Amino acid sequence: MKEKILVIHTGGTISMSEDFETGAVKPSETNPIKENSKELLTLADLIIEEPFQLPSPHITTREMLQIKEIIETHLEKKEISGVVITHGTDTLEETAYFLDLTVKTELPIVVTGAMRSSNEIGSDGLYNLISSIKVAKCKEARNKGVLVVLNDEIHTAENVTKTHTSNVSTFQSPQYGPIGIVTKRGIIFHHAPTKRECYPILDVTKKVVLMKAHAGMDSALLLAIKDLGFDGVVIEALGQGNLPPATINGIKALLADKIPIILVSRCFNGIAQDVYEYEGGGKHLKDLGVIFSNGLNGQKARLKLLIALETTNNLKEIEAIFHV
Ligand code: ASP
């Protein structure tokens, strides 16, 4: 008997076509990737859902919650062996990580996309979808959290990030690498994640802002954030986790209002830690109450803080969540 795989199409380049006259890539009335469903049926029995067709810069936590609910509805029926989600690549890592943190299942959930639209030379959409269905059916893919499959590589949602604007090998996991590969003969996993975490949230109701530190940064935006009523702040700090001294007033003002500040590094590799002891250095920031994250990038730390804030606003508990 063939496995049943739930395929959720959400939009993105994988479901767009190029207008050969103007060169513009855009959505069409019908999703071209669905036209290939017959070929895909040789791989598995597919249950196809298409809740929306959005370019991924249009995706918000509302759509992420909608995808989560669709998956949970099908999980309850206990008829599927895995899930594949097609998604625009721009925010693909965010939806993947959101689902990783919020959907409780051992079954593989695979997120995929394409860098070239359906009718472009070298289009990678159908290929990536086929690879993803193969991974989603694979028993070894179970219990590894949400996976991102493109360009013959299998990455964890936690570590993967989009690294190139147009190259088909854009998805990389800095410092860790992929956990498996897709070959012509099958799926090979060479690593396995060491931990899983799940936060059973029903909604996302808080506001978290993401900022990037730079030379000469001051407190102006941090003070504005406080006045704008944000519930949390993520800062992509300098190097190992340092900020310019002129930000300290803003940091103190936010912390005085019990607004959590999560620090990640703006560096592509490595983990932000409290190493330096000077004004604005990591040790100073940690003493003030800034929370250091365990190697997440800024956009994922923002989602994790949004999710954490649905379960607690206790700073110690939030810190513990960032050290899982
Ligand atoms: N801008 C497109 C999107 O994210 C790019 C893609 O799908 O790859 O929807």
Side-chain angles (χ1 to χ4, degrees):
M1 208 179 71
K2 272 194 277 176
E3 287 89 350
K4 258 202 178 84
I5 301 293
L6 169 65
V7 178
I8 309 175
H9 294 301
T10 71
T13 300
I14 192 166
S15 57
M16 295 184 194
S17 317
E18 185 179 271
D19 178 329
F20 290 128
E21 258 169 47
T22 64
V25 174
K26 52 188 184 184
S28 40
E29 292 231 320
T30 52
N31 181 347
I33 200 82
K34 277 170 66 187
E35 283 161 22
N36 296 300
S37 294
K38 271 203 210 101
E39 293 169 42
L40 300 174
L41 281 174
T42 58
L43 297 170
D45 280 340
L46 304 182
I47 303 172
I48 300 193
E49 296 260 11
E50 192 169 22
F52 44 82
Q53 241 232 76
L54 293 175
S56 76
H58 295 200
I59 300 275
T60 68
T61 50
R62 202 179 41 237
E63 286 76 26
M64 295 179 197
L65 279 165
Q66 209 178 327
I67 300 170
K68 165 178 139 54
E69 278 156 22
I70 293 171
I71 296 172
E72 284 170 346
T73 305
H74 284 277
L75 286 175
E76 268 167 35
K77 293 187 198 155
K78 294 195 187 320
E79 55 181 22
I80 54 169
S81 330
V83 180
V84 174
I85 299 151
T86 65
H87 197 287
T89 56
D90 292 351
T91 61
L92 186 151
E93 67 195 80
E94 283 160 89
T95 297
Y97 188 54
F98 181 89
L99 299 172
D100 191 46
L101 290 180
T102 57
V103 179
K104 195 168 170 51
T105 180
E106 292 180 358
L107 296 183
I109 299 178
V110 179
V111 190
T112 192
M115 295 303 288
R116 298 184 187 132
S117 66
S118 59
N119 60 345
E120 283 177 66
I121 301 287
S123 167
D124 52 337
L126 183 57
Y127 186 86
N128 286 336
L129 180 54
I130 289 171
S131 301
S132 298
I133 293 172
K134 288 179 180 169
V135 174
K137 319 187 329 191
C138 166
K139 296 256 183 320
E140 291 78 59
R142 292 187 176 186
N143 251 320
K144 292 190 167 56
V146 173
L147 301 170
V148 170
V149 173
L150 283 100
N151 201 35
D152 282 342
E153 291 186 342
I154 308 167
H155 295 262
T156 64
E158 184 176 6
N159 293 328
V160 77
T161 193
K162 186 173 183 179
T163 65
H164 195 287
T165 54
S166 55
N167 196 306
V168 289
S169 67
T170 181
F171 282 93
Q172 305 287 331
S173 295
Q175 143 170 285
Y176 301 111
I179 64 164
I181 52 173
V182 179
T183 72
K184 288 217 188 300
R185 306 273 172 265
I187 309 298
I188 301 172
F189 282 96
H190 47 76
H191 284 87
T194 50
K195 63 177 169 68
R196 295 288 314 274
E197 38 182 335
C198 186
Y199 308 95
I201 58 156
L202 296 174
D203 203 357
V204 175
T205 57
K206 307 288 195 243
K207 289 202 303 179
V208 171
V209 68
L210 169 61
M211 307 173 73
K212 186 168 193 154
H214 54 83
M217 183 183 186
D218 62 20
S219 289
L221 282 180
L222 293 166
L223 295 171
I225 284 166
K226 181 169 115 70
D227 295 339
L228 286 169
F230 278 92
D231 304 288
V233 181
V234 175
I235 307 177
E236 291 185 10
L238 308 172
Q240 288 207 33
N242 310 306
L243 290 175
T247 60
I248 296 301
N249 275 348
I251 296 283
K252 283 184 177 164
L254 288 165
L255 291 172
D257 273 12
K258 302 246 170 314
I259 297 173
I261 302 176
I262 310 296
L263 218 71
V264 301
S265 176
R266 72 175 197 178
C267 292
F268 188 62
N269 283 293
I271 293 172
Q273 288 176 334
D274 54 327
V275 174
Y276 285 94
E277 196 159 39
Y278 53 71
E279 197 185 3
K283 275 200 179 300
H284 182 204
L285 298 171
K286 187 147 193 199
D287 287 346
L288 290 175
V290 171
I291 296 170
F292 283 67
S293 160
N294 246 349
L296 292 173
N297 66 20
Q299 53 273 31
K300 288 189 203 166
R302 176 181 169 272
L303 282 171
K304 192 169 196 183
L305 182 54
L306 277 171
I307 290 165
L309 283 167
E310 290 302 319
T311 64
T312 179
N313 51 19
N314 178 300
L315 290 183
K316 282 278 155 243
E317 285 173 18
I318 292 173
E319 181 164 26
I321 288 175
F322 273 91
H323 287 150
V324 172

